[in-house]
Amino acid sequence: MMYTVLLLASSLLVPNPYFQASSNTLAVRELCNEARRQLNEQNYSEARETASKALKIDAQSAQALTLLGQSEFALGNLTSAEHHLTEALRIDSTLTETHRALGATFLRQGQFNEAQRQFEAVLRSHPDDISSLYGLGFSLLSQDKPSQALKPLTQAYHMNPSDSEILTGVMQAYLKLGQLDQARSVLNQLNRRFANDYAQQMQLAEILVNEGAYILAIVQFQNLLKLSPDSYELNYDLALAYHRAGKEDEAAAQIHRMLSQQERAELENLLGEVEEKRNNYVQALAAYRKAVELQPKSEEYQLDYATELNQHWNPTEALRAFSAGVKTFPSSVTLWMGLGGTYYLLGKYSEASETLLHTSEMAPDNPNVYALLGLAYDAAGPLQKAIEQRFVDYVKAHPSDALGHYFYGKILLDQNQHKAGTSLDQAQQELSRAVELNPKLSQAHLDLAKLFQMRDDTTAVRTQLETVIKLNPESSDAYYRLIPVYRKLGEPEKAAIAAEKFRQLKDTENADAPREQVKKLLSGPNQ
C-alpha cells in the first residue's frame, strides 16, 4: 500500500524528538543510536541485529523494542513487528513513535480499526503529526468512513500541499462520499502534477474504477490513450468504463473499432453484454456465440452464451449449451445451476430437481442454488423428501437466510395442507423468521396468511394479506383471499373493492411467476 510506504519514509525511520529510552546504560543508548542510523540508511537487517543486541543487555528497553519492531516492519515481518511494538507500549504507553509505527503495522495487515486507535493515540498529544493524520485518514477510508476520513486527510494536505499521496486520499474520500465535482477538481489537480507520468495516471484510473466512478474513469482513460494510443488494455478499459457507466452506444462503437483491428473473445463477450443492455438480442447472441467459438475453453463465455439462449431465445438450445458446459467444466456450479434451471423451464421437473440436488451437494452454501431448489419443490415428485432434507440442513447452517427459511416454511406448509390435525407450528416459525429477516418478502407474508387461514385466525390473515398488497399492489391472489376475510369481518365495502381489484388484476398478473423467478436467478449480473 502506498500510504504505508509514505509512513515508513516520513515517520518510522526518522529520529523522534519525543522518544525516551527506558535504559540509562551507555551501551544500550549507543546501540539504539546505531540501530536508528542503520534504519535511516535502509540497512534493515543490520538495524534488527543491533536492536537485538541492545535487548540482550536490557530486555525491558522500550526504545530497543521499538527499533526492533521498526526493523521487522521494514523487512516485511509484520507479525514480529506487531509483537515487539506492542511489548514496547506495554512497558511505556506514552511512546509516540511506537504508537505511530504500530499503527503503520496494523494498516499493512489490514487491521484498520486497530490502526485507527494507534494514530488517534499519537494525535491526542501531537495533533499536527502529519504521518498520523495521513494514517488515520486511510484507516478510516479503509473502514468505509469517508466523511470522518476527509478531515484528517485535508488537514494533512494543508500541512504539505506537495504530497500527492495525501491528495489522492482526499480524492478517494470525495469519491466515496459521491461528491463527484470535488473529486473531479482534485483529479484534475493530480493529473496536472502527473502530466507525463503514465504509471501515476494509470494508478488514478484504477482508483476511479475501484470506486465505481466510471464517468471520471472514461475521461482518465481518454487522457491516457493520448500517451499510449495503441494500448489494447487502455482501449479495452475505456470500452468497459463506457459499459459500466451505462453509455452503451459509445461502448459498442469502441468495441467495434477494436474488433476491426483484431478479433478477441473477450471483446466479443463484452459486446454481447453491451448489446444485451441495448436490447439488441440478435447481436448479443451472435457476439456471445463468437466468443465461445474463439475461446471454447472459457467457462465464463460458455455460461454467458447459454444464459442468453435461455433468456431470449430457445431453452432447448440452451439445454444443449449448458449440457456441453458441464461436460467441459464439471466443477462449475453456475453451469450446473443453469442446467437445472433450464430443465425446469422446459417442464422437465424430475431432471431439474435431480440436477439441482446435485448442485446443492457441490455448493451447500450457495443461496441461489437453494432458491432454485425451493422453486422446483412443488413439481419434484418423489424427490421432494430429499429437497426438504436439504433445506433442513441449509437453514441450520444459514440461520440468517430469509429465502431459505421461507422455502422451508413453504415446504412444511404444503405438507400440512393435506394432513388434518398436523401441527403448523414449525411452518409458522420458519415463515415468521423469513419475514423477520426480510419484512419485504411478500410471498412469505402470503404463505403466512394461508397458514393463519388454516388456523381460522381471520384477523391475522387480514394483517398478512394487507401487508402483501402494500409490498406488491399487483398481487391478485392477495385481493382474492381478502374478499371472504372482509366479508367475515363485516366489511362488505372493502370486500367489494377487493373483488374489483381482483377482477382487474387476474388477467394481467403473470400466471407463470415461478418460471420468471427461475429465469431471473439464472440471468446473472450482466443480464
Side-chain angles (χ1 to χ4, degrees):
M1 297 179 186
M2 292 300 296
Y3 51 80
T4 308
V5 174
L6 180 78
L7 285 167
L8 252 178
S10 64
S11 70
L12 295 183
L13 306 183
V14 177
N16 182 0
Y18 310 114
F19 211 106
Q20 301 295 321
S22 62
S23 172
N24 291 322
T25 65
L26 181 61
V28 170
R29 284 203 302 270
E30 288 179 347
L31 286 169
C32 286
N33 288 336
E34 176 65 11
R36 182 173 289 107
R37 182 187 64 77
Q38 291 166 335
L39 277 171
N40 289 335
E41 294 175 355
Q42 300 183 18
N43 295 322
Y44 305 132
S45 296
E46 292 86 343
R48 176 173 61 184
E49 185 176 345
T50 303
S52 297
K53 289 179 181 178
L55 285 170
K56 288 180 180 178
I57 298 173
D58 182 0
Q60 294 299 301
S61 170
Q63 180 182 16
L65 281 165
T66 297
L67 290 164
L68 180 56
Q70 290 175 330
S71 303
E72 297 285 20
F73 175 90
L75 290 166
N77 302 323
L78 302 181
T79 301
S80 181
E82 179 186 342
H83 170 75
H84 296 306
L85 293 167
T86 302
E87 181 63 16
L89 288 174
R90 187 190 64 79
I91 295 169
D92 186 349
S93 63
T94 66
L95 299 178
T96 301
E97 181 77 3
T98 314
H99 281 293
R100 190 190 296 119
L102 186 55
T105 303
F106 283 134
L107 268 182
R108 183 77 70 83
Q109 294 179 105
Q111 299 181 49
F112 303 118
N113 186 55
E114 294 298 323
Q116 175 187 340
R117 292 203 299 177
Q118 297 304 318
F119 292 125
E120 286 174 340
V122 175
L123 293 168
R124 278 194 288 272
S125 56
H126 302 91
D128 294 330
D129 186 286
I130 187 169
S131 296
S132 294
L133 287 167
Y134 181 77
L136 176 60
F138 273 96
S139 300
L140 292 165
L141 273 183
S142 300
Q143 296 176 72
D144 200 25
K145 298 177 180 178
S147 58
Q148 297 178 44
L150 193 57
K151 182 178 179 181
L153 287 170
T154 303
Q155 186 178 343
Y157 175 67
H158 288 156
M159 294 171 65
N160 186 7
S162 65
D163 194 312
S164 298
E165 289 298 325
I166 297 177
L167 188 57
T168 301
V170 172
M171 182 187 75
Q172 283 185 268
Y174 283 134
L175 289 172
K176 288 181 180 292
L177 288 167
Q179 299 177 10
L180 293 186
D181 288 341
Q182 294 91 328
R184 184 183 290 106
S185 176
V186 176
L187 176 63
N188 291 338
Q189 189 175 346
L190 285 164
N191 277 327
R192 286 193 292 271
R193 293 187 183 190
F194 304 142
N196 297 305
D197 192 329
Y198 179 90
Q200 290 284 3
Q201 287 193 41
M202 190 66 195
Q203 192 173 71
L204 292 175
E206 291 172 359
I207 291 172
L208 295 171
V209 169
N210 289 337
E211 296 297 340
Y214 299 117
I215 295 296
L216 295 182
I218 288 169
V219 177
Q220 191 69 10
F221 288 127
Q222 289 171 335
N223 290 334
L224 283 161
L225 280 167
K226 295 174 184 177
L227 299 175
S228 183
D230 297 326
S231 168
Y232 171 83
E233 288 74 17
L234 277 179
N235 278 283
Y236 181 85
D237 287 341
L238 177 58
L240 187 59
Y242 278 133
H243 174 46
R244 290 181 175 171
K247 294 180 174 292
E248 307 300 352
D249 292 344
E250 292 88 340
Q254 174 72 8
I255 295 168
H256 282 300
R257 279 194 295 270
M258 297 178 71
L259 284 170
S260 68
Q261 297 172 5
Q262 62 179 141
E263 202 170 50
R264 288 202 184 191
E266 70 173 345
L267 286 174
E268 292 286 1
N269 204 69
L270 180 57
L271 181 60
E273 293 182 24
V274 170
E275 297 296 5
E276 170 75 21
K277 289 294 185 182
R278 295 206 298 176
N279 298 325
N280 295 333
Y281 303 127
V282 173
Q283 294 90 329
L285 183 65
Y288 283 133
R289 182 189 293 116
K290 188 64 175 179
V292 172
E293 291 172 359
L294 291 171
Q295 197 167 324
K297 295 299 183 182
S298 168
E299 176 186 341
E300 176 189 354
Y301 302 159
Q302 184 72 38
L303 175 64
D304 288 344
Y305 171 56
T307 300
E308 180 68 16
L309 283 168
N310 235 346
Q311 294 299 307
H312 304 293
W313 298 94
N314 186 341
T316 301
E317 289 295 321
L319 185 66
R320 280 195 278 268
F322 278 117
S323 296
V326 297
K327 288 178 182 176
T328 307
F329 307 101
S331 299
S332 172
V333 171
T334 49
L335 284 168
W336 277 104
M337 279 178 56
L339 182 61
T342 306
Y343 275 130
Y344 183 93
L345 294 174
L346 287 167
K348 297 177 180 290
Y349 300 120
S350 177
E351 293 90 336
S353 300
E354 188 175 350
T355 302
L356 291 170
L357 282 167
H358 170 71
T359 310
S360 70
E361 292 176 356
M362 297 173 61
D365 301 314
N366 188 316
N368 287 337
V369 174
Y370 284 86
L372 286 169
L373 260 184
L375 291 168
Y377 175 82
D378 285 345
L383 293 175
Q384 284 186 334
K385 195 65 182 176
I387 293 176
E388 178 188 352
Q389 186 56 50
R390 286 284 196 280
F391 275 100
V392 170
D393 298 336
Y394 181 73
V395 296
K396 285 180 182 177
H398 303 86
S400 298
D401 188 329
L403 269 179
H405 285 286
Y406 161 66
F407 280 117
Y408 183 37
K410 182 179 182 301
I411 288 169
L412 294 171
L413 178 63
D414 288 348
Q415 291 175 351
N416 284 324
Q417 285 181 356
H418 306 291
K419 297 178 182 178
T422 303
S423 172
L424 295 172
D425 290 348
Q426 190 174 2
Q428 182 176 342
Q429 179 181 330
E430 295 298 328
L431 292 169
S432 297
R433 180 61 176 153
V435 297
E436 178 185 337
L437 290 165
N438 182 2
K440 295 182 179 181
L441 197 57
S442 63
Q443 191 59 42
H445 287 286
L446 185 60
D447 280 323
L448 272 172
K450 296 175 185 178
L451 186 148
F452 288 128
Q453 190 171 26
M454 294 169 68
R455 290 189 182 277
D456 201 25
D457 188 342
T458 307
T459 302
V461 173
R462 173 183 183 164
T463 299
Q464 294 301 324
L465 291 175
E466 289 180 341
T467 301
V468 173
I469 289 171
K470 287 179 183 176
L471 296 171
N472 179 16
E474 305 302 309
S475 175
S476 63
D477 195 0
Y479 281 111
Y480 178 76
R481 291 175 179 276
L482 269 172
I483 297 169
V485 169
Y486 284 139
R487 287 173 179 165
K488 188 172 182 179
L489 292 171
E491 300 182 64
E493 298 85 359
K494 288 187 176 181
I497 293 172
E500 178 59 28
K501 288 294 294 184
F502 169 69
R503 281 192 291 271
Q504 293 172 4
L505 292 170
K506 67 176 181 177
D507 295 327
T508 59
E509 191 174 45
N510 185 359
D512 205 5
R515 289 171 60 84
E516 291 304 315
Q517 289 177 271
V518 168
K519 291 180 75 172
K520 185 176 181 181
L521 284 165
L522 297 181
S523 66
N526 296 325
Q527 303 302 325

